[in-house]
Amino acid sequence: MKECDTMAARPWATPKEVRDYSDKKAVQERTDARLAIDISRAEQYVISYTKNDFSEYEEIPQNVKTAVILLAEAYGYNSVISSNEIKSETFDDYSYTAENSGIDFGTLGIEPLLEEFVNVKPKNGITMRLRRL
């Protein structure tokens, strides 16, 4: 970890990196502008989750970059699915209801990638860290 005066330059991932990672056609076909927004949203999620703006890093750590790519793919895919998916359809005696098949952020497994970067601010001088047994 290098200390510096400026934080790691954003964006922390590129649209090409998100496309290269993703095997979802809907994500691969998104424009650079849309993927840039997905990446920005993913970065904000990481900053909010870790309570860390990564200002002490000259380059973003690989685990953080991986989390941003995973989240950007999920944001992109969920945007396409939510706008294109037919929720329900009825014709005479036949009806169909689609289940939302978007990516659930809870299943991405980003918590272990970001765990070491979470800033915990002590309250009244006391810091408690809890973990699951």
Side-chain angles (χ1 to χ4, degrees), residues 19-61:
R19 276 192 204 96
D20 288 348
Y21 168 75
S22 183
D23 59 355
K24 301 190 181 320
K25 187 176 180 185
V27 174
Q28 293 171 350
E29 292 177 349
R30 281 177 77 75
T31 64
D32 282 357
R34 289 183 186 269
L35 281 174
I37 292 170
D38 298 333
I39 291 166
S40 179
R41 291 176 69 195
E43 290 169 348
Q44 284 305 125
Y45 183 97
V46 168
I47 290 168
S48 176
Y49 178 84
T50 61
K51 296 170 184 50
N52 186 344
D53 64 3
F54 298 91
S55 58
E56 72 271 13
Y57 294 89
E58 191 174 312
E59 263 187 60
I60 207 68

Side-chain angles (χ1 to χ4, degrees), residues 46-54 56 114-131:
V46 168
I47 290 168
S48 176
Y49 178 84
T50 61
K51 296 170 184 50
N52 186 344
D53 64 3
F54 298 91
E56 72 271 13
L114 299 175
E115 186 175 346
E116 69 181 278
F117 304 104
V118 174
N119 285 338
V120 180
K121 294 188 179 184
K123 188 173 184 176
N124 298 328
I126 298 172
T127 302
M128 281 183 75
R129 291 193 118 173
L130 302 174
R131 64 182 173 94

Side-chain angles (χ1 to χ4, degrees), residues 5-106:
D5 294 334
T6 59
M7 69 185 225
R10 289 177 71 184
W12 297 336
T14 65
K16 181 183 181 331
E17 289 171 319
V18 175
R19 276 192 204 96
D20 288 348
Y21 168 75
S22 183
D23 59 355
K24 301 190 181 320
K25 187 176 180 185
V27 174
Q28 293 171 350
E29 292 177 349
R30 281 177 77 75
T31 64
D32 282 357
R34 289 183 186 269
L35 281 174
I37 292 170
D38 298 333
I39 291 166
S40 179
R41 291 176 69 195
E43 290 169 348
Q44 284 305 125
Y45 183 97
V46 168
I47 290 168
S48 176
Y49 178 84
T50 61
K51 296 170 184 50
N52 186 344
D53 64 3
F54 298 91
S55 58
E56 72 271 13
Y57 294 89
E58 191 174 312
E59 263 187 60
I60 207 68
Q62 186 60 46
N63 283 356
V64 175
K65 185 174 189 167
T66 300
V68 167
I69 290 170
L70 289 169
L71 286 163
E73 178 196 32
Y75 277 123
Y77 183 72
N78 289 351
S79 292
V80 171
I81 292 302
S82 67
S83 66
N84 290 340
E85 187 175 292
I86 297 174
K87 303 294 184 217
S88 65
E89 183 177 33
T90 304
F91 183 75
D92 288 338
D93 292 338
Y94 172 78
S95 75
Y96 166 79
T97 303
E99 294 293 321
N100 185 354
S101 58
I103 297 173
D104 177 16
F105 286 15

